[in-house]
């Protein structure tokens, strides 16, 4: 694999991180699908990797793992926020019905 291909993957991970920073989950999902397709096409036909390429693959994999952990954390946080909102809404509805 060439340096430009690794740079493209790293750039794609940065884009995904930026979408998470902005809480833009629709754009994150679309970019994630694009990233997945790119990774599958690049790694689908690799036979022998040089030691440098292996190191770069490990770096990309590490960055991708961190991205997934971050996305999972945001997913849990969003689920918690929605749960709190729904709970508050139910309490408000009960309060309104008592009036």
């Amino acid at each position: 694999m060439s340096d430009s291909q690794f740079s493209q993957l790293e750039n794609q991970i940065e884009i995904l991180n930026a979408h998470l920073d902005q809480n833009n989950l629709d754009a994150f999902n679309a970019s994630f699908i694009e990233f997945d397709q790119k990774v599958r096409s690049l790694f689908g036909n690799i036979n022998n990797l040089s030691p440098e390429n292996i190191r770069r693959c490990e770096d990309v994999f590490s960055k991708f793992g961190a991205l997934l952990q971050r996305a999972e954390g945001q997913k849990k946080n969003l689920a918690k926020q929605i749960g709190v909102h729904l709970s508050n809404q139910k309490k408000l509805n009960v309060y309104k019905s008592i009036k």
Side-chain angles (χ1 to χ4, degrees):
M1 289 181 62
S2 69
D3 283 339
S4 67
Q5 290 171 318
F6 283 113
S7 295
Q8 288 175 359
L9 292 177
E10 290 171 340
N11 185 47
Q12 195 84 29
I13 291 172
E14 289 176 17
I15 291 169
L16 288 165
N17 274 314
H19 291 315
L20 283 180
D21 288 341
Q22 299 166 357
N23 286 323
N24 190 346
L25 299 180
D26 291 333
F28 176 84
N29 191 40
S31 294
F32 188 85
I33 291 169
E34 182 181 329
F35 177 81
D36 180 58
Q37 291 170 345
K38 187 171 287 192
V39 167
R40 287 177 191 270
S41 69
L42 289 175
F43 290 103
N45 54 7
I46 292 179
N47 295 326
N48 294 323
L49 292 175
S50 70
E52 176 63 23
N53 281 345
I54 291 172
R55 187 191 63 74
R56 294 289 303 266
C57 286
E58 290 171 345
D59 289 344
V60 169
F61 181 74
S62 175
K63 289 177 183 178
F64 183 66
L67 172 72
L68 289 180
Q69 287 178 341
R70 194 164 163 242
E72 183 66 27
Q74 282 195 286
K75 176 183 167 185
K76 287 179 183 178
N77 188 29
L78 181 60
K80 183 179 176 181
Q81 288 175 353
I82 290 171
V84 167
H85 177 72
L86 291 175
S87 175
N88 289 342
Q89 193 66 32
K90 286 179 184 177
K91 290 175 187 174
L92 185 59
N93 288 341
V94 168
Y95 176 75
K96 286 180 180 178
S97 70
I98 292 174
K99 281 175 120 180

